Amino acid sequence: MNEVMETILARRSVRHFTDQPISDDILAQIMDAALHAPSGQGRKTWRFTVVTNKEMIKKMEKAIEADYPYKGYTLKDPAVLIIPTNLRDNPFGIEDNSIAIMNIMIAAQSFGIGSVWINQIKGRSDLPHIREVLTEMGVPEDHIAYGTCVLGYPDPEYPAGEYKEKGDVVYIK
Ligand SMILES: Cc1cc2nc3c(=O)[nH]c(=O)nc-3n(C[C@H](O)[C@H](O)[C@H](O)COP(=O)(O)O)c2cc1C
């Protein structure tokens, strides 16, 4: 098996991180992978807000929690919160942002860094308390988020379990 295949097959969602920060150099390489993802009609109108400032991460967590039905909502105390946004009138926004997140996750995995998709911002970018934090992060009004992604070094005390279900592949020859 080649290294790319090993990396893809080794990736699992990680929800417990150590305190180890991610170096600027590695983070820049991971974000370069995002910028190399395909995009509908090559529009590349995405914008990646990469937050390492713990206060800002907490602020977003609080904003998400404000009207979330379960108490104690957490962004998992990650080293990095990445908020990909796209022009709200880009018809490929959700696909473009999603495929960029996948590149981020695979690139992170290649450095031994864990990741998980965090969905709770989807459809809620324009809620005033969430928009306020997005605006503070410099996200333009005409951009919305479809999902976010957090990164960090995996806490070895929480290894990923085996897959119960992987879905189907059907070959028609
Ligand atoms: C669209 C999407 C939304 C997701 N939302 C969340 C989420 O909000 N919180 C979370 O902990 N995991 C979330 N996940 C991660 C999935 O739960 C995870 O990918 C799935 O259980 C399979 O596990 P694996 O990533 O280890 O293969 C999301 C994944 C996708 C693709």
Side-chain angles (χ1 to χ4, degrees):
M1 203 186 296
N2 68 41
E3 262 183 64
V4 175
M5 279 304 297
E6 279 171 8
T7 303
I8 290 171
L9 298 193
R11 185 217 58 84
R12 298 296 306 278
S13 291
V14 174
R15 300 179 178 86
H16 299 273
F17 302 109
T18 68
D19 293 337
Q20 189 182 343
I22 297 173
S23 75
D24 289 348
D25 170 54
I26 288 177
L27 194 51
Q29 291 186 62
I30 292 171
M31 295 320 299
D32 204 29
L35 298 176
H36 282 77
S39 63
Q41 295 178 340
R43 293 188 187 205
K44 302 219 181 246
T45 51
W46 49 36
R47 176 188 200 275
F48 298 94
T49 304
V50 182
V51 191
T52 51
N53 180 304
K54 291 272 181 188
E55 260 175 53
M56 288 304 287
I57 293 174
K58 277 279 159 216
K59 215 178 243 193
M60 182 54 87
E61 185 174 275
K62 290 280 149 226
I64 290 172
E65 193 189 22
D67 65 343
Y68 197 64
Y70 308 107
K71 282 289 145 223
Y73 177 78
T74 166
L75 282 175
K76 330 286 184 200
D77 197 16
V80 184
L81 164 66
I82 300 169
I83 309 176
T85 59
N86 216 313
L87 282 177
R88 63 176 77 234
D89 63 3
N90 180 344
F92 308 111
I94 192 165
E95 294 86 353
D96 291 358
N97 283 19
S98 301
I99 207 160
I101 288 181
M102 192 71 252
N103 264 20
I104 288 168
M105 289 179 161
I106 301 297
Q109 177 67 37
S110 77
F111 291 108
I113 291 167
S115 65
V116 65
W117 182 304
I118 298 285
N119 213 40
Q120 279 68 26
I121 204 170
K122 184 183 170 193
R124 300 167 73 216
S125 301
D126 289 329
L127 293 179
H129 54 284
I130 292 187
R131 177 56 64 182
E132 193 181 313
V133 184
L134 290 174
T135 300
E136 197 176 339
M137 292 175 176
V139 176
E141 285 287 325
D142 57 358
H143 270 230
I144 52 172
Y146 301 94
T148 65
C149 174
V150 295
L151 304 181
Y153 287 93
D155 183 338
E157 285 191 28
Y158 296 87
E162 289 299 311
Y163 277 120
K164 290 192 195 91
E165 177 58 69
K166 280 204 258 180
D168 300 322
V169 179
V170 178
Y171 298 96
I172 300 176
K173 294 187 176 175

